[in-house]
Amino acid sequence: MSTETIALRPGTGLPRQGKPHGGRGRRLALTIVSKYGTLIAMAVMILIFGLGVPNGAFLSSNNLLAIVNQSALTAIIASGLTLVLVVGEMDLSIGYAASLAGILVTGFMANQGLPLPIAILATLLIGALIGTVNGLLVTKVGVNAVVATLGVGTVLIGLAYGYTAGSPIISVPTAFTNITLGRFLTIQNPIWIMIAILAVLWVILNRTPPGQRMQAVGANKNAAHLAGLRTDRAKITAFIIAGVCAATAGILLASLLGSGTVSAGDGYLLDSFAAVFLGAATLRDGDFHIIGTLVGVLVVNVGFNGLSLMGTPTFWQFVFKGGILVLAVALSTLARRYSKA
């Protein structure tokens, strides 16, 4: 007859409570998924599409370069959104700001007769103004960021329809369309513009005092305020950068389409949020950062491109878009949870 030895907790006479069997392995697996899940998902998608698309079309150099080019505008607008999320706020107006920017830059040239550089500069300034309004509403008036930016976005829709009467603006100079159609060293211009903007924002966020203040405000607003940091200024700066990035993306989209269209940039809102939250779960413990955002954008566009090449019905692309956003938030939440465990 065998006997069982029971370990007792010292000084209590009660059985020692051990960790559930497999708990450590489960925690390790969840930590890996939360931190590297985005990269794993991208590798799996590349493998599936590489094998599933006929004639190796997905893995061709032209298609891979096309994916990066298609990612450029989303990466630009999402990088601006990243800074707003870093300071702990939301911006739901970015897609509408991009649409309005595309209308204004083409309208300034076609209707007001402004030279191309002046039209672009004026549009970027309006993007900064939109960001300023968002920032002031959130910090000085105290309106919730979701309500404030959604309300501003709705106003922008109205302004866009008022300016165009719902008709696209198509009389644009060839020099304008060449901005996105041109190449440098055989690589499309939008890719170079994306690299430049992401590099600048990475430096701002990680190597400058304003960027450090943004991160401090996002980590703990009260502590940052007690430390003497101007929290409102940091938030307004983030909203202004997001507005300029949205305007830049809108200008490039209008150049690519050769026209200004009322709702052209609206779809970037969901794509940008999916990319930023996917990026937060990449290599970091749930923190928003520029490199992660770029990875998130590439994941989203790899999925779109692969589904398109496989001839998947359009409705599955919407399923993918919504699903990837839910997955992104889940991975980001896991990353934060296990970084604090």
Side-chain angles (χ1 to χ4, degrees):
M1 181 176 180
S2 62
T3 59
E4 217 175 55
T5 302
I6 302 177
L8 302 180
R9 286 185 285 173
T12 64
L14 298 175
R16 187 188 302 273
Q17 292 180 346
K19 292 182 180 180
H21 181 68
R24 183 176 299 176
R26 188 181 304 112
R27 179 180 295 275
L28 177 60
L30 288 172
T31 301
I32 292 173
V33 169
S34 67
K35 199 166 186 178
Y36 303 103
T38 304
L39 297 175
I40 294 171
M42 190 191 314
V44 170
M45 284 194 298
I46 290 174
L47 178 62
I48 292 173
F49 294 140
L51 296 175
V53 176
N55 303 320
F58 178 79
L59 294 177
S60 67
S61 58
N62 287 338
N63 186 60
L64 294 178
L65 190 61
I67 291 175
V68 178
N69 189 45
Q70 292 163 5
S71 302
L73 303 191
T74 306
I76 291 170
I77 196 170
S79 62
L81 175 63
T82 300
L83 269 63
V84 174
L85 291 172
V86 164
V87 298
E89 300 295 350
M90 288 274 193
D91 190 348
L92 301 182
S93 69
I94 51 175
Y96 309 119
S99 296
L100 180 62
I103 289 170
L104 291 178
V105 71
T106 52
F108 287 156
M109 292 183 290
N111 299 337
Q112 278 70 53
L114 295 181
L116 175 58
I118 302 300
I120 292 176
L121 178 60
T123 304
L124 292 176
L125 289 175
I126 291 174
L129 177 61
I130 293 170
T132 302
V133 171
N134 283 331
L136 291 175
L137 286 173
V138 172
T139 60
K140 302 302 183 182
V141 182
V143 181
N144 178 274
V146 173
V147 176
T149 58
L150 185 60
V152 168
T154 305
V155 170
L156 298 181
I157 295 174
L159 293 176
Y161 275 101
Y163 186 77
T164 64
S167 301
I169 301 172
I170 58 176
S171 300
V172 295
T174 304
F176 180 64
T177 56
N178 285 341
I179 293 175
T180 50
L181 297 180
R183 294 171 180 261
F184 177 69
L185 299 178
T186 72
I187 296 177
Q188 294 95 330
N189 288 342
I191 297 177
W192 292 113
I193 298 172
M194 174 193 71
I195 292 172
I197 291 175
L198 265 61
V200 169
L201 293 185
W202 185 90
V203 171
I204 290 174
L205 190 58
N206 296 282
R207 294 293 185 267
T208 67
Q212 298 300 315
R213 286 193 289 269
M214 289 180 195
Q215 296 190 55
V217 170
N220 191 322
K221 178 183 176 182
N222 292 329
H225 182 73
L226 292 174
L229 299 181
R230 296 180 176 179
T231 57
D232 287 355
R233 177 179 293 183
K235 290 188 176 186
I236 293 171
T237 301
F239 276 110
I240 290 173
I241 292 174
V244 173
C245 287
T248 302
I251 292 169
L252 294 175
L253 180 60
S255 170
L256 184 65
L257 298 175
S259 64
T261 308
V262 170
S263 59
D266 294 0
Y268 283 104
L269 176 63
L270 183 58
D271 294 351
S272 297
F273 269 94
V276 174
F277 276 95
L278 277 171
T282 304
L283 306 177
R284 295 276 190 93
D285 295 326
D287 297 328
F288 301 108
H289 58 117
I290 298 298
I291 300 300
T293 294
L294 176 59
V295 173
V297 171
L298 291 174
V299 169
V300 172
N301 281 280
V302 163
F304 287 168
N305 181 272
L307 290 172
S308 177
L309 289 178
M310 292 184 71
T312 306
T314 304
F315 73 88
W316 279 114
Q317 297 181 25
F318 287 98
V319 172
F320 172 80
K321 184 181 292 189
I324 203 71
L325 178 59
V326 174
L327 176 64
V329 176
L331 287 174
S332 180
T333 303
L334 279 175
R336 287 191 179 90
R337 179 183 302 167
Y338 286 98
S339 68
K340 298 175 182 177

